[in-house]
Amino acid sequence: MKKPIKKTWMIASALTIGMAVLTPLQAGATSVEPTNGVTVQIEQQITGTIKGIYGDGIDLKGRDGKNYYIGFNKFPDEQIAKMNLVEGQEITVEGSVAEDYLDFFTFEAYKKGLPKEVTEEDLTKLENLFNEMKKLQKELSKEMTEEESEKKFEEIGKIHKDMYKITKPYILAKWQPQTFEEFIADFRFSEKNIVIEENDNKQLKVIYEEWVKLEKDGQEEKADEKMNEFYKTLQPYLDKLYPTPTFEVFMERFEFDIPAEALTKLKNIYENAQKAEKDDNADLSEKLWEEFYDIIDPFIKPQTFEEYMADYEFKVSEADNKQLKQLYEEILKLDKKEDKAKIEEKWEAFNNILEPYFKANKEILISASKVIINAQEYLPQ
């Protein structure tokens, strides 16, 4: 059970533990002292290589060996597109430290996706709602019960709806729906030589045009019903486009030997599971797939400890490595069904040893105010 490290707007991210003082852009740059005792500069310059691109942000591996997430929330989308960011490319960034991924999601960043026709009055309403939503999102990062957390999510959902009520008329006014022919062409039926019968094509076009009218009129529930009707008519053609693989084809993904007796059982379960899915019997389908993988599980050769640890970018100390290897090999020896509690306990111990390494390698968050690529400078417009 590899511990996931995820970016999310909903989870607070503390400043990296053990982070060294960063180089200031100029003499006398202002610094702050976070609660964990680590000193960082308000403004700084980082040069590094792009590891990942996320639209309005990138993962950067600094020349200093540290991991960074660079947010381009101050830059308009058109300017980010002009940067032509590519993985493996070296860039230099100037900016300020952020304490949380949520800090990148400002109202200015949200406004970038709004139609220009939104009035100042509505912008003020949206900003007030946005700030209220951000406050609730930050509160979600604190310790709270499941019930309290659910209540916060409900409040956030209500604010989203209120914001959508304001933006919806502007969005619909600007909306230029695809023609039916363009919409159908996007499925790429022709690439598989799948031809929609004339009667079905006529019916689909009528349904699609009714859906467009309902969407434009703001009748969302009726529009959803109409689109469900559309896909129900289209389903036989989608089945041809994405046919269910035969059992033999499905099993090609498993690169290990399974005895003939087990294969016979698996084929029967697979075919029943596919039937259950077609019959919309989710409970039966889930039960059958669990049974399917229970049979396969004993034949899967687990990763060695060395293979498992190779996925992490960081290296652990010799003493920790020895403990981790012992725990990992003990976990592999335990029965997955009978020793669930013991397995969970050992994984917890495993991840507790790795926790300081996760913290030390956590990304430093930077809100970019200047980007330099191939001597070309970009400043927020």
Side-chain angles (χ1 to χ4, degrees):
M1 185 191 303
K2 190 157 290 188
K3 183 168 182 176
I5 306 173
K6 297 181 181 177
K7 284 187 201 66
T8 168
W9 300 118
M10 308 301 290
I11 300 175
S13 174
L15 288 170
T16 303
I17 291 177
M19 185 170 69
V21 176
L22 299 169
T23 308
L25 286 174
Q26 57 190 34
T30 310
S31 65
V32 291
E33 185 78 18
T35 53
N36 61 8
V38 177
T39 303
V40 295
Q41 303 296 338
I42 290 292
E43 288 291 334
Q44 58 187 318
Q45 185 179 81
I46 304 109
T47 297
T49 304
I50 298 174
K51 289 169 53 188
I53 302 169
Y54 306 98
D56 56 359
I58 58 170
D59 281 336
L60 195 74
K61 186 70 173 182
R63 281 184 184 172
D64 57 8
K66 295 182 174 67
N67 297 314
Y68 295 89
Y69 177 78
I70 311 297
F72 296 133
N73 51 301
K74 294 173 185 172
F75 292 81
D77 292 342
E78 298 80 8
Q79 204 173 8
I80 297 171
K82 284 179 185 176
M83 292 180 194
N84 195 27
L85 301 165
V86 179
E87 285 188 27
Q89 185 178 44
E90 184 171 275
I91 72 167
T92 296
V93 175
E94 295 179 5
S96 55
V97 175
E99 293 189 8
D100 191 297
Y101 289 108
L102 270 173
D103 294 337
F104 298 116
F105 189 42
T106 61
F107 184 67
E108 288 303 313
Y110 167 76
K111 265 172 61 177
K112 291 195 290 186
L114 293 177
K116 292 176 182 177
E117 292 77 13
V118 179
T119 65
E120 287 299 321
E121 183 183 353
D122 281 340
L123 281 174
T124 301
K125 290 177 187 175
L126 286 166
E127 187 167 10
N128 290 335
L129 288 166
F130 181 90
N131 291 335
E132 191 181 338
M133 178 181 69
K134 279 283 293 286
K135 180 174 175 288
L136 289 168
Q137 287 175 332
K138 287 207 170 187
E139 287 173 1
L140 273 169
S141 65
K142 299 173 185 174
E143 289 288 331
M144 59 177 63
T145 64
E146 188 177 339
E147 188 178 340
E148 289 170 332
S149 178
E150 284 179 7
K151 189 178 178 184
K152 294 285 180 196
F153 274 114
E154 284 177 12
E155 290 177 47
I156 289 169
K158 184 179 181 303
I159 293 172
H160 271 293
K161 286 180 182 176
D162 291 341
M163 292 175 76
Y164 181 58
K165 282 178 187 175
I166 296 170
T167 59
K168 184 179 174 182
Y170 297 102
I171 294 167
L172 287 177
K174 296 274 291 181
W175 182 42
Q176 292 296 325
Q178 291 176 293
T179 64
F180 167 73
E181 289 73 20
E182 290 168 338
F183 187 77
I184 282 292
D186 284 345
F187 288 97
R188 299 182 177 178
F189 288 118
S190 59
E191 291 181 11
K192 294 284 183 74
N193 296 317
I194 297 168
V195 179
I196 299 175
E197 291 181 15
E198 188 178 348
N199 286 343
D200 286 337
N201 199 65
K202 284 180 181 177
Q203 187 181 356
L204 286 165
K205 185 171 183 176
V206 169
I207 295 169
Y208 179 79
E209 289 172 353
E210 287 173 352
W211 170 78
V212 169
K213 188 175 184 303
L214 289 167
E215 283 285 357
K216 283 186 173 180
D217 291 344
Q219 299 185 56
E220 288 181 28
E221 286 187 18
K222 288 185 178 179
D224 288 344
E225 288 173 9
K226 192 58 66 176
M227 189 48 71
N228 287 339
E229 185 183 343
F230 182 93
Y231 276 103
K232 190 174 180 180
T233 304
L234 194 65
Q235 193 59 52
Y237 302 98
L238 291 172
D239 290 342
K240 289 180 185 177
L241 188 63
Y242 305 108
T244 302
T246 63
F247 172 73
E248 289 72 22
V249 169
F250 182 81
M251 293 304 292
E252 286 174 5
R253 70 188 66 189
F254 300 107
E255 297 178 355
F256 46 83
D257 294 328
I258 300 174
E261 185 182 347
L263 279 173
T264 303
K265 287 181 184 177
L266 287 167
K267 184 171 184 177
N268 185 50
I269 295 168
Y270 177 81
E271 290 172 352
N272 286 334
Q274 293 295 350
K275 185 178 183 303
E277 285 178 14
K278 283 185 179 178
D279 294 342
D280 290 328
N281 191 337
D283 290 340
L284 178 58
S285 172
E286 185 179 351
K287 180 176 175 293
L288 288 166
W289 279 117
E290 281 180 13
E291 190 179 339
F292 185 93
Y293 284 104
D294 281 345
I295 293 172
I296 280 182
D297 198 52
F299 305 107
I300 300 173
K301 185 181 177 182
Q303 286 179 299
T304 64
F305 171 71
E306 288 73 21
E307 289 169 337
Y308 182 88
M309 293 300 292
D311 286 344
Y312 293 119
E313 289 187 2
F314 54 78
K315 299 295 181 186
V316 300
S317 71
E318 191 175 335
D320 284 340
N321 195 69
K322 189 176 179 181
Q323 275 188 279
L324 288 165
K325 185 170 184 176
Q326 183 180 335
L327 282 166
Y328 186 80
E329 290 176 351
E330 286 173 1
I331 290 166
L332 293 185
K333 288 175 185 175
L334 292 168
D335 186 286
K336 287 184 179 178
K337 285 188 176 180
E338 294 180 10
D339 301 313
K340 280 185 180 179
K342 283 184 184 177
I343 289 172
E344 286 178 13
E345 185 182 317
K346 288 188 183 292
W347 273 122
E348 186 176 355
F350 188 95
N351 283 323
N352 284 342
I353 295 170
L354 285 179
E355 189 65 31
Y357 297 97
F358 290 135
K359 286 180 178 177
N361 286 273
K362 190 177 286 185
E363 290 177 320
I364 302 164
L365 312 180
I366 302 292
S367 178
S369 53
K370 182 179 179 180
V371 177
I372 305 168
I373 306 173
N374 297 326
Q376 172 74 47
E377 290 188 357
Y378 297 89
L379 295 167
Q381 293 176 350

